[in-house]
Amino acid sequence: MNKYVKRYLIDAMSGMAQGLFASLLIGTIVKTFGQQLLRLGTNPVFEFLVNAGNFATDPHVVGAAMAVGIGYAMKVAPLVLFCLVAVGSAANVSGGAGGPLAVLVISILAAECGSLVSKKTKIDIIVTPFVTILSGALLTVLCAGIIGKAAASFGNLIVWATTLRPFVMGMIISVVVGVALTLPISSAAICAALGLTGLAGGAAVAGCCAQMVGFAVMSFKENRWSGLLSQGLGTSMLQMPNIIKNPRIWIPPVLASLITGPVATCLFKMEMNGAAVSSGMGTCGFVGQIGVITGWFQPSAAAVLHGAVPVTPGFMDWAGLVLVCFILPGLLSWLFSVALRKAGWIKEGDLTLPE
């Protein structure tokens, strides 16, 4: 693999996603939990949960967390890493709705500028922060707004197209985001950068679940309970070495996502209106499902921009969440895998995870 592709596309995006998890995602969950508890009555503990969630979801904090995640993944020097706090904060706020993509691009460039001078002079404590912060600030002023608007516009186009053509777009988004989740890139970072919410976010969740639950169930014969948990609650990326050896094992979960995507968008009209990063998480720690649930009660800012409002979920909402995220991915992938095993396309041991 090209070292630049790995450094900027895979490592940096993975670090950005972890920064989002550690700020916006967990903050949204904590805040929503506190808000629901406050419905029972005023309580200092419940109010503390809301305040803690607000601290973690502040745009400045989220931007800083993403930038530090990016710098850490790129293995930059400590001084450069610490300076990215200011760079990420500025880029996220200036980038607006498309802030995550602005943070990704600007943090990478600022980190590389800082790395060029890091430990090259006797006054490194001054030179490195000076170069890192000023380059990041300059790039923020010149580019953050443009990058943010471009990302937001493209995301809005996807959300609009999904609302207009839920069947076709449901299939496309489900397959593309699901495949991205299994590849060594961050589907969560992609969804966050584009602000995928609403029906588009629901289709993304469906595609990710099809990959994770699909591989977990269809490989149960080889990997038993440890494989079920590591793939179903961890990541389907564990199957990448096996996919490289036999790409046909990827067919069942991809076919499952072709079905569950439209089921989510057309039949159950499942929307993911929580933090956009949750759209690319699937069943990893149940983050995708938590995102759908928090979106019912407390839509994220990105979802509100697309017209989302708080709702009281009914039986069909809960049934759709369970069917789309768990039952259909496992059942469909298993049925397709049985057919491929009988055809000889999938053989014994093809799905065994390395120890």
Side-chain angles (χ1 to χ4, degrees):
M1 181 184 294
N2 185 284
K3 65 177 182 179
Y4 298 110
V5 171
K6 182 179 184 301
R7 181 173 175 81
Y8 301 135
L9 184 61
I10 297 176
D11 294 342
M13 288 186 69
S14 295
M16 170 183 152
Q18 290 186 43
L20 280 165
F21 301 159
S23 55
L24 179 63
L25 187 60
I26 191 64
T28 300
I29 293 171
V30 170
K31 178 173 66 174
T32 304
F33 183 54
Q35 289 169 334
Q36 296 310 305
L37 289 175
L38 281 173
R39 291 185 174 188
L40 303 175
T42 303
N43 183 294
V45 175
F46 302 162
E47 292 175 347
F48 166 75
L49 292 174
V50 174
N51 290 332
N54 285 331
F55 293 149
T57 57
D58 182 275
H60 291 279
V61 174
V62 174
M66 284 190 286
V68 169
I70 291 167
Y72 180 80
M74 292 173 62
K75 296 180 174 60
V76 298
L79 266 181
V80 177
L81 181 66
F82 304 149
C83 292
L84 290 178
V85 169
V87 175
S89 174
N92 193 45
V93 173
S94 302
L101 184 61
V103 173
L104 176 66
V105 174
I106 292 172
S107 295
I108 288 174
L109 293 174
E112 293 294 38
C113 287
S115 296
L116 287 175
V117 299
S118 178
K119 301 177 182 178
K120 300 291 174 60
T121 67
K122 294 182 179 180
I123 50 173
D124 184 57
I125 191 68
I126 295 175
V127 173
T128 296
F130 184 86
V131 172
T132 305
I133 291 178
L134 283 191
S135 61
L138 180 61
L139 288 166
T140 296
V141 171
L142 295 177
C143 307
I146 298 172
I147 296 172
K149 288 179 181 178
S153 297
F154 187 60
N156 291 339
L157 177 63
I158 295 174
V159 172
W160 172 79
T162 307
T163 304
L164 192 65
R165 292 288 186 270
F167 185 82
V168 175
M169 289 300 294
M171 287 194 297
I172 295 173
I173 294 173
S174 182
V175 171
V176 171
V177 177
V179 166
L181 178 136
T182 300
L183 288 170
I185 58 177
S186 177
S187 56
I190 293 172
C191 290
L194 298 179
L196 288 191
T197 58
L199 287 177
V205 171
C208 293
C209 293
Q211 293 284 324
M212 296 179 65
V213 176
F215 271 120
V217 172
M218 63 185 273
S219 69
F220 184 77
K221 181 180 179 181
E222 288 89 352
N223 302 308
R224 309 307 292 176
W225 292 105
S226 62
L228 185 75
L229 294 175
S230 63
Q231 294 172 94
L233 296 180
T235 176
S236 54
M237 199 182 300
L238 296 171
Q239 285 289 349
M240 271 312 298
N242 291 331
I243 291 172
I244 293 172
K245 295 176 184 176
N246 180 12
R248 290 172 175 173
I249 66 171
W250 214 348
I251 294 175
V254 170
L255 290 179
S257 65
L258 276 172
I259 297 172
T260 59
V263 167
T265 56
C266 298
L267 181 58
F268 293 107
K269 301 189 184 306
M270 189 177 87
E271 297 186 355
M272 212 305 297
N273 287 325
V277 64
S278 302
S279 297
M281 288 296 294
T283 54
C284 178
F286 300 121
V287 170
Q289 293 68 52
I290 292 172
V292 172
I293 294 169
T294 55
W296 288 337
F297 301 106
Q298 186 70 34
S300 64
V304 171
L305 289 175
H306 296 129
V309 295
V311 299
T312 300
F315 172 78
M316 287 299 289
D317 295 308
W318 287 104
L321 183 64
V322 173
L323 283 169
V324 168
C325 295
F326 302 105
I327 297 176
L328 288 178
L331 180 61
L332 290 170
S333 295
W334 177 76
L335 289 173
F336 290 135
S337 69
V338 168
L340 292 185
R341 286 179 190 271
K342 289 182 178 180
W345 283 22
I346 297 179
K347 297 181 174 62
E348 190 75 25
D350 281 353
L351 291 159
T352 303
L353 294 177
E355 296 182 0

